[in-house]
Each structure stands twice: as structure tokens, then as C-alpha cells.
Amino acid sequence: MSISLVSNSYLDENSAKIRAKPVPWEGYQRAGLVTSEELSLIKKVDRQSRSKIESLLVSDGQTYALLYLRLLKKLQRIDTQSCILVLIADALTDHEERIPLFTSAAQTDPELPYGPLLRILDSQDDFVQLKATQILTVLLSSEKSSLQPQQIHPFLNTLALFVVNPSPNKRDVAVQCLEAVLARPECRKAVWANASLVGGLVDILRHNPTPQMNYQVGFCLWLLSFEQEVAEQIQKRFDIIPLLVDVAQGAAKEKVIRVIVATFRNLVSKAPQANLPAMLVAQLLPFSKNLAGRKWTDEDIVEDIQFLRDELSTRFESLTTYDEYRSELLSGHLSWTPVHESDLFWKENATKLNDKDYELLKILIRLLNESNDSTVLAVASHDIGQYVKHYERGKKILTDLGGKTRVMELLSHQNSDVRYQALISVQRLVSHPWAAV
């Protein structure tokens, strides 16, 4: 991997300034922090032309890789650390063959190469933090053996702080770093275990980023979706499907749609039961049919769209009205679809809310307790009223499950539709003697 894969204008501009700054190497030698041999070596590359440094790296690459890492390990000043990091990055840029010169340093000192780089992730200096992150990304993603937790976790914790940072440079670098390391299975598992990191990625999508950032975050989610556990849980934990549909519907760039469709393909293939309800409610089938009618330049996207359209058509065509209602409930995204206001539907299906130990009824009550969406609260309140209207014994069940108390609390909700639907349901809850008593 080339270091240019993690590029950022802030890093480029500051690196150029740092190359021209003097560092008091002689002072370090007088203080006993640098040996005379180290001083001699570093002076040969300090503020020298790129061609001169390149010729030294060609002949003494391993020597300089160890020198840079040892100096980084023992020197604490921000300006010196910045200089060393720039020297390391310059050595690696466009020279993948030099990566082993750094990763093999562990044979000389077990703390190298990662110890000094991970330590300075805690630096108070933005450039040092970001430059160390850039270099770590190259080294970690190129390791031949499996990465160890002590290597991955501090790195990912730093990225988790970056993705929620107001600084666009930190968010940009963090997402690029994740794109690179998520190709490794052990990194995918470690990222998934870091809830704040995944949550930060999802939150970036919720705030209308640039098309390029949409693509990069989508690429990260696509890589994550290759993990079975991720495919099974990401919708439940992060409500990702309606968000990705919204992003794809608003995308002008083909590559954004391509990576989102590829993510949906993984979710359908690996965990249909966990993801199909939300896909049904988010209208992914009509959207995929719409996509299938467009012209595309990339053959992969055509294949993925056709797969998604055909798979969803097969799975959805046999659904009953009740199946669709159940999917809507499981997704948590209730809206005024025709089924809610159909008396025939409730007459035929009200008692099915009691199945599997009142599974769907408990979901309705949970939505009433947890949702902040006025439409969801209004529809759920309405459905509670329909349930007791068509199933008299449901009044006691609702009371025992806490549903009656919550509906009564919603009588004072700020939204008029929620208040109205709650009022209708309360009237039905108290209007007749309880047949179940």
C-alpha cells in the first residue's frame, strides 16, 4: 500500500513547511539524547533534496528506518517528532517495497515500529497525531501476520475520536484510514467491537456530507458487511438501511450508489431475516427496480442491482398484508400505510399480536416508550386502539404490559396528532367493562 492512499491537504502543506525547519540535532547530542553515529546519519538527510535522500535510502534503507524509529522513541519535542514523522512518510511514499524495512524493526527492538507511533497518538499536536495515524495505517494494513489487539485497539480508539471531531481534517483522515485497514478481517472485527467508531461513521452520513465522504463511509460499511455478525446486527443497532436508501436516492455519483447497493447485497445474502423487514419498509424493492432501468458505466453495479431486485421480488411477492405489517413493526419505522386504518385488517389480525408471547404487542409498547418520532407515536397509539377495539381481552393484557399507562401519558404530548390518537385509544381502553376480569 502506498502512503498516498491516505492523503490530506493539511498534512501535505504542513509537511512541506516542516521539511524546511531546522532541528537542533547537535543540541540533542550534547544532551546525550543522540549518539554521534545517529547525529552523523541524520545530518545526511536533514533538510536535504529529495534525490539525495532517495540515494541514501536505496543504499542504507534499513539503517535509516531503524534510525527514524529509535529517534521517535526517545525524543519528545513536537517539532522534532514532526520532522521524524515527515522523514518516515517521505521514505514510504510511492515505495511500498520499503514497508518491510519498518515492520521488521521488531526483530531489533520489540517496541518497534508500533510503540513510538502509538504513543504519540496521544499528542496534543494535531499534525503529530494525524501524521502518526497516516503512517500507522500503511504499516498495519501491510503486516504479513495477524495484528495483535495492543496494536489495533489504541489506533482504532484514536480513529473513533477523529470521526466525531469537529475538525474536517481529522474526520477525513480517519475515514481514509478505515478504508485501508478494513480490508483485514481482524480489523473488521475490532472496528465492529468499537461501537463509538461505527456510530461515528453512521453519524457522518446523517449530516449530509460531500459525495466523496458519502462514498468513503459507504465503502467502510460495505467492507464491514462482509462479517456475518455485522450483517446480522447493523440494522438493529444503527438503523442503517433507511439511511443508506436515503443517501443512494439523493446521490448524483454512480460510485456512491454502487457501494451502497453492494452493501445491501451483502446484507440480504448473509442475514435476510435481520434485514428484509427494514428493506421492505424503506421501499428498497421499488428503488432497485428504478435503478435497474437506468444506464450504468460499471458492470458490477448492474449485476448487484439485478441481484437485489430479483432477490427482493422473490422474497416479497408472497408476503401477506399481515407480513408487511409485521415487517413495518419490526423495522420500527411506522407510517400511515393503508393497513393501519383498515378495519378488515384488524378484524382478521388483531389477535395475531398475541402470538409468540405477545411479540408484536410488546414491540408496539416499546415504540411508544422509546420513540421520539411523532408519526411513530401517533401510529402506534392508533394501533393500540385498534387492537383493543377488535380484541376485548386485550385491555387487561395492555395494562399488565404497561401500555395503558404510556398511552395515557401521551394525552399531554406536544404533537396534536399524537394527542388525538392517544385519546381515541384511551377511550377504547376504558369504554367497556373488562371481559377478562
Side-chain angles (χ1 to χ4, degrees), residues 49-68:
S49 67
R50 181 70 187 262
S51 59
K52 184 173 181 181
I53 296 173
E54 277 298 309
S55 66
L56 286 167
L57 291 173
V58 169
S59 58
D60 294 306
Q62 186 68 75
T63 300
Y64 276 94
L66 284 171
L67 173 70
Y68 296 159

Side-chain angles (χ1 to χ4, degrees), residues 190-208:
V191 168
W192 181 243
N194 193 320
S196 61
L197 181 47
V198 182
L201 279 177
V202 174
D203 200 50
I204 288 175
L205 283 186
R206 295 193 194 283
H207 288 85
N208 300 314

Side-chain angles (χ1 to χ4, degrees), residues 20-55:
K21 282 185 179 179
V23 174
W25 298 114
E26 290 86 353
Y28 286 131
Q29 192 210 2
R30 290 193 295 271
L33 294 172
V34 171
T35 67
S36 56
E37 182 187 359
E38 288 171 336
L39 177 64
S40 173
L41 287 169
I42 198 70
K43 291 296 286 182
K44 290 179 182 177
V45 296
D46 184 37
R47 288 183 292 163
Q48 298 299 314
S49 67
R50 181 70 187 262
S51 59
K52 184 173 181 181
I53 296 173
E54 277 298 309
S55 66

